Amino acid sequence: MRRAEGKIEPVLRVFQDHVLFLKHNLNAQAIASLENELVTLTLGVSGLIKAMERSIERADAFMRTLNQQKALPAES
């Protein structure tokens, strides 16, 4: 039993080192994945903002045409 117990400690140390390495490696992978998601989200948001700006410009142009039509003199 004592010999077996003496052999367990070194194995457990190596196992703990491997677990620690995997934790760090997985964290690095998760961070890299989040960075890719950030780029994707940023591009998506930029596209949405441009689309909203175009819609606002069109709505403004439409409102200007309505205002111009109201400003025309009435025919008698």
Side-chain angles (χ1 to χ4, degrees), residues 11-57:
V11 171
L12 285 178
R13 267 192 301 236
V14 171
F15 181 70
Q16 287 173 340
D17 288 344
H18 286 145
V19 168
L20 185 61
F21 171 78
L22 288 173
K23 283 182 179 180
H24 287 294
N25 193 27
L26 291 174
N27 283 338
Q29 288 176 357
I31 290 169
S33 172
L34 289 175
E35 288 174 358
N36 292 337
E37 285 297 317
L38 177 61
V39 170
T40 301
L41 286 173
T42 301
L43 291 174
V45 168
S46 294
L48 286 173
I49 290 172
K50 287 178 184 175
M52 288 173 60
E53 288 172 345
R54 282 192 305 270
S55 295
I56 291 168
E57 288 171 7

